[in-house]
Amino acid sequence: MVSTLLAFGALFASALFFLMGSGVLSTQLSLRMTQEGFSTLTIEITLACYFLGLMAGYFLCHRLIQRVGHIRSFAVFAAATTIIIILHGLYISAIFWATLRFFNGMTIFGLFMVVESWLNECSQSRIRGRVFSIYMTLAYLGIGIGQQLLNLGTESGQELFWIAALLFSLSLIPVSTTQSVHPELPQRTRY
């Protein structure tokens, strides 16, 4: 049991980092849009585009995982998310941010798909519940820590975007250097 959980250490660390980054970004965007004077409706629509991206990710992200595998897919999704976060910090516009939120939803869905399918396929059924309980604990912990990191910058500055981008970049390191078992590519099936 312990050796199996240690084998997932890199995956757990990567998930913690990217969820910390997600916690920083999600909260920072709503605070920044409020500070910039956007209407409540504009903020709601802009931030809701993230969830449209999550839904689109369901239909698209599995293709990359099937083509290149879990580790490379994780790297692509984390790197793309880092780019998206940096773009948030470069230009303030509701339409631009709504577009970025859509693509951010897709890349975050891809990260979740990689992590959760990896955990599911590589854990034995007798310990799968424990593995996922650790993962979910780290998920909520990561988002909570990320929101506390808002104290490291100002709403009007760029620091919080850079912190979020840094955390997503950090999530690449454990998964990219892991030597633990990773799942084989799934069989292609039709919906």
Side-chain angles (χ1 to χ4, degrees):
M1 168 62 185
V2 174
S3 64
T4 302
L5 293 178
L6 289 176
F8 292 128
L11 200 54
F12 288 150
S14 289
L16 181 66
F17 284 133
F18 89 72
L19 287 160
M20 286 169 61
S22 186
V24 171
L25 181 65
S26 297
T27 309
Q28 165 63 1
L29 289 175
S30 61
L31 293 173
R32 183 67 179 267
M33 291 185 80
T34 302
Q35 184 184 39
E36 295 291 333
F38 289 103
S39 71
T40 303
L41 181 61
T42 301
I43 295 170
E44 291 170 352
I45 291 170
T46 301
L47 298 180
C49 288
Y50 171 82
F51 299 101
L52 292 173
L54 284 175
M55 291 190 313
Y58 168 80
F59 296 102
L60 301 172
C61 292
H62 66 91
R63 293 179 182 163
L64 181 65
I65 298 169
Q66 288 173 332
R67 192 174 309 125
V68 300
H70 286 75
I71 293 174
R72 287 187 181 113
S73 295
F74 188 94
V76 168
F77 294 131
T81 304
T82 302
I83 293 165
I84 290 166
I85 293 168
I86 291 170
L87 289 173
H88 275 97
L90 295 179
Y91 182 67
I92 299 171
S93 160
I95 294 172
F96 182 62
W97 278 13
T99 304
L100 292 176
R101 290 300 287 164
F102 175 80
F103 288 110
N104 185 230
M106 286 179 55
T107 59
I108 293 293
F109 186 87
L111 289 169
F112 280 125
M113 184 178 276
V114 168
V115 170
E116 293 176 13
S117 65
W118 191 335
L119 290 173
N120 188 50
E121 292 180 40
C122 290
S123 60
Q124 299 170 352
S125 59
R126 64 182 174 78
I127 62 163
R128 191 168 290 130
R130 291 182 204 150
V131 169
F132 273 91
S133 68
I134 292 169
Y135 166 67
M136 290 307 300
T137 300
L138 289 172
Y140 289 114
L141 183 67
I143 293 169
I145 291 170
Q147 291 177 339
Q148 293 304 311
L149 293 175
L150 291 169
N151 295 316
L152 298 178
T154 61
E155 294 170 14
S156 60
Q158 304 301 320
E159 310 84 36
L160 295 173
F161 292 114
W162 309 149
I163 289 170
L166 173 72
L167 289 165
F168 274 95
S169 294
L170 282 173
S171 74
L172 285 162
I173 296 169
V175 164
S176 298
T177 60
T178 188
Q179 294 180 344
S180 67
V181 63
H182 56 278
E184 293 185 22
L185 295 178
Q187 296 291 327
R188 293 180 187 235
T189 58
R190 295 185 65 106
Y191 290 107

